[in-house]
Amino acid sequence: MLDRLPFLIGLRYVRAKRRNHFISFISLTSMLGLMLGVAVLILVLSVMNGFDHELRTRILGMVPHTRIEAQGGMTDWKALAERLEKRDHVIGAAPFVQQQGMFSSNGRTQGAMVNGIKPSYESKVSIIDEHMTQGSLDDLAPGEWNVVLGDLLARNLGVGVGDRVTLLVPEASITPGGVFPRFKRFTVSGIFKVGADLDARLAYANIHDMQTLGRMGDTVGGLRLELDDLFKAGAVTNEIVNDLGSGYRGVDWTYTHGNLFQAIQMEKRMIGLLLMVIVAVAAFNIVSTLVMVVTDKHADIAILRTIGAKPGTIMRIFMVQGMAIGIIGIVVGVALGIVLALSVSDLIAWFEALTGIQFLDPNVYFISYLPSQLRLSDVGIIAGSAFVLTFLSTLYPAWRAARIQPAEVLRYE
């Protein structure tokens, strides 16, 4: 019976109506604060996970996971591509010719990176087919001098499908009339839109046309590889380069876009830490609640001690009470956070339709909706951390209650 005593009395103190309404108010505030803190932390981390996922699938769906290049270019690239596709973690390979240049049209100019590609191979290493808003990659036929532009690039140039643009490349052509920059007229055959700055600085043309423009013959710049796990890009790239020997080099996505994803991860950790402070404040409000309860229950504690309750039993009573308040707040907060994380995209869309206010302008941000991706690991870490903070907040008030001497209390009763 004595083993059950702390639980029976502690839970009864949670349910009991107190004469001091201020204690009840502080107890309710602690529970609500813990609930809201846990729910908001789950929601915010889920939204950041959603942005991280969108960036990872969109940007790294367009940017090669790794590039294998050779000094002087590659000629027998087909055999090498077949060989690399048989390696572990490599799921696709495609040739490319890359050329920086300046597009000009209607008196406007815009710098861009032009990728010369083979349309039949591109789906192995890129998601551009899924984001074509006008036209198709199949229109990039050799000798047609067609080009596919990013949405922002096309808007900055004021062109659409069927319009003509001039590509100026930073290479000189020596003619009897002097030295002139090399340029070529292209026809816009398609427009893609994936978001971020890629739409403003990326264009695609047929690899044969870019070879002709660059006077490369049958040589390609290298191979772009798609991996089954982008976080193994560094190790896979090093293995491939070591196997191929000298004359080859590899560049993986961490060199070109690694800083972006490191920044996202750092922001997630910092925001998570700051929001955890809210949970900690709510958890340690339980300290003030229990201290006031202990002061209010001096007589009860003294009576329990006189009938044989040990200091450890008294301590466990108030630990049970504090943990009950915390667990209720954590459980309700986790449930609320999960519901909000799973429905926040629909809720924001409904609010935008109701008020006409758009939170994420697609002209500024790379997506027009609020993404959310709930991860059970985040929920577990948040709930576990809140539980530990709640447990720690009960120790001091429970220790004070265990030190109460019954003789001193009952002397004045």
Side-chain angles (χ1 to χ4, degrees):
M1 181 64 183
L2 289 178
D3 292 336
R4 298 175 55 194
L5 190 64
F7 291 95
L8 294 174
I9 298 178
L11 294 176
R12 182 178 179 182
Y13 280 172
V14 174
R15 299 191 306 267
K17 294 182 179 179
R18 300 181 178 88
R19 295 183 300 273
N20 189 336
H21 295 291
F22 183 69
I23 298 177
S24 299
F25 174 75
I26 294 297
S27 178
L28 180 62
T29 302
S30 302
M31 188 182 300
L32 291 176
L34 197 58
M35 177 192 73
L36 292 176
V38 169
V40 169
L41 189 51
I42 291 174
L43 175 61
V44 170
L45 291 187
S46 297
V47 170
M48 295 202 69
N49 289 336
F51 275 106
D52 178 69
H53 176 74
E54 289 294 327
L55 283 171
R56 189 176 300 171
T57 55
R58 288 172 183 254
I59 293 182
L60 290 185
M62 296 288 292
V63 175
H65 292 173
T66 188
R67 298 198 312 262
I68 304 298
E69 301 172 353
Q71 292 181 357
M74 294 181 184
T75 52
D76 190 16
W77 60 267
K78 288 185 179 180
L80 182 58
E82 293 175 359
R83 177 179 161 192
L84 293 180
E85 286 179 342
K86 296 177 182 178
R87 297 182 64 98
D88 292 339
H89 306 298
V90 178
I91 59 178
F96 73 94
V97 171
Q98 203 167 62
Q99 177 67 67
Q100 286 186 334
M102 184 79 72
F103 281 103
S104 174
S105 180
N106 302 320
R108 305 178 185 180
T109 58
Q110 177 77 39
M113 179 68 72
V114 184
N115 284 335
I117 62 170
K118 291 188 78 69
S120 58
Y121 280 75
E122 192 62 17
S123 60
K124 295 183 178 182
V125 297
S126 174
I127 60 171
I128 184 174
D129 278 335
E130 303 171 12
H131 295 277
M132 293 292 298
T133 58
Q134 298 181 55
S136 169
L137 287 184
D138 294 333
D139 296 330
L140 298 178
E144 296 292 332
W145 298 98
N146 290 332
V147 66
V148 171
L149 304 179
D151 178 70
L152 291 177
L153 178 58
R155 281 193 286 168
N156 290 338
L157 294 173
V159 298
V161 173
D163 293 333
R164 305 273 285 177
V165 294
T166 301
L167 174 62
L168 178 68
V169 297
E171 295 180 6
S173 297
I174 301 176
T175 68
V179 179
F180 295 94
R182 192 178 304 169
F183 61 90
K184 182 64 180 178
R185 295 277 285 176
F186 284 82
T187 301
V188 179
S189 63
I191 294 176
F192 69 88
K193 182 177 181 180
V194 292
D197 59 343
L198 293 179
D199 288 344
R201 61 181 181 87
L202 197 59
Y204 289 89
N206 187 276
I207 193 170
H208 174 77
D209 294 341
M210 296 306 297
Q211 287 172 327
T212 302
L213 183 63
R215 299 176 180 175
M216 299 173 62
D218 294 330
T219 303
V220 301
L223 292 174
R224 294 186 295 160
L225 304 182
E226 178 83 1
L227 308 180
D228 58 2
D229 186 350
L230 60 92
F231 292 106
K232 294 181 180 178
V236 173
T237 303
N238 290 334
E239 291 177 5
I240 292 175
V241 172
N242 291 335
D243 290 345
L244 293 177
S246 61
Y248 290 89
R249 64 187 293 264
V251 180
D252 63 79
W253 69 271
T254 59
Y255 287 94
T256 56
H257 291 79
N259 291 338
L260 174 63
F261 290 91
Q262 289 175 3
I264 292 174
Q265 292 301 319
M266 184 187 69
E267 289 175 1
K268 179 183 176 182
R269 287 193 291 268
M270 292 304 299
I271 291 178
L273 181 62
L274 293 174
L275 290 177
M276 186 58 73
V277 173
I278 299 176
V279 177
V281 170
F284 284 106
N285 277 341
I286 297 176
V287 175
S288 58
T289 301
L290 292 182
V291 167
M292 288 186 288
V293 171
V294 169
T295 303
D296 190 54
K297 299 295 184 180
H298 268 72
D300 293 358
I301 296 170
I303 293 172
L304 288 172
R305 290 293 307 277
T306 58
I307 63 175
K310 298 180 180 180
T313 302
I314 301 299
M315 188 172 182
R316 288 194 295 273
I317 288 174
F318 290 95
M319 288 179 67
V320 167
Q321 181 184 359
M323 290 302 297
I325 295 173
I327 289 173
I328 293 172
I330 292 170
V331 170
V332 177
V334 166
L336 180 62
I338 290 175
V339 171
L340 290 175
L342 293 176
S343 59
V344 64
S345 299
D346 296 332
L347 289 175
I348 294 298
W350 171 81
F351 186 78
E352 288 179 341
L354 183 66
T355 61
I357 300 174
Q358 191 169 27
F359 288 92
L360 296 177
D361 186 351
N363 294 327
V364 179
Y365 301 96
F366 67 96
I367 53 177
S368 59
Y369 66 97
L370 192 67
S372 177
Q373 186 181 51
L374 181 66
R375 294 179 184 172
L376 294 180
S377 58
D378 288 341
V379 175
I381 292 173
I382 294 168
S385 300
F387 181 85
V388 171
L389 291 173
T390 300
F391 174 77
L392 294 176
S393 67
T394 65
L395 296 179
Y396 173 71
W399 175 75
R400 282 193 54 180
R403 294 190 61 194
I404 292 177
Q405 299 299 322
E408 295 180 3
V409 176
L410 297 177
R411 180 185 305 171
Y412 303 103
E413 292 293 333

